[in-house]
Amino acid sequence: MGKPKKSAAPCRIVVCRDCCCGSPKVSGDHAAQRARLRDGAPVQISKCLDVCDQANVIVVQPSTEGRAAGGRPAWFGLVNDAEATEDILAWVRAGGPGVAPCPDILDLYAFKPSRRVRDAL
């Protein structure tokens, strides 16, 4: 009998929760946001991603399928309300980077961090 087939990894969500993101400095229910995101994908809590001017920061990592299709991590900042969280979650459930087109509404939150910051993640 052959080796069992390795299942493809889903999208992964990285949520910055350190000096600014997820703190009282930034409005929003941070615990509820994390819990809601966990309903759609694995969530990793990160130390400071060094883009504090964009707090709260969420990075959507592509799934195995998305990465194979050329998907790259998508960075979203100022995600401080439940509607933005739901928009990100809907995109992740649809397949995320490389699989599903990013909804136009997420253009309001998307940003490109410096190469130094991207490489650290």
Side-chain angles (χ1 to χ4, degrees):
M1 196 177 247
K3 289 183 180 179
K5 214 175 193 183
K6 190 174 182 180
S7 63
C11 287
R12 183 174 48 111
I13 300 171
V14 179
V15 181
C16 186
R17 290 291 183 259
D18 200 21
C19 63
C20 294
C21 297
S23 77
K25 295 178 188 178
V26 179
S27 65
D29 186 340
H30 308 296
Q33 183 183 54
R34 279 192 320 270
R36 187 70 187 117
L37 290 169
R38 282 188 176 122
D39 285 343
V43 174
Q44 176 184 346
I45 305 301
S46 173
K47 295 285 187 185
C48 185
L49 293 173
D50 201 21
V51 285
C52 297
D53 60 323
Q54 296 288 330
N56 283 319
V57 174
I58 294 175
V59 183
V60 178
Q61 299 279 358
S63 64
T64 302
E65 178 186 2
R67 180 73 70 179
R72 295 291 171 250
W75 290 68
F76 301 103
L78 306 173
V79 184
N80 300 320
D81 59 67
E83 292 82 14
T85 301
E86 289 301 320
D87 291 335
I88 291 170
L89 187 56
W91 182 49
V92 166
R93 286 184 172 149
V99 175
C102 189
D104 291 341
I105 190 70
L106 292 180
D107 289 345
L108 297 171
Y109 305 96
F111 73 98
K112 286 237 184 241
S114 70
R115 171 172 269 168
R116 178 184 57 81
V117 170
R118 283 192 319 263
D119 290 348
L121 184 64

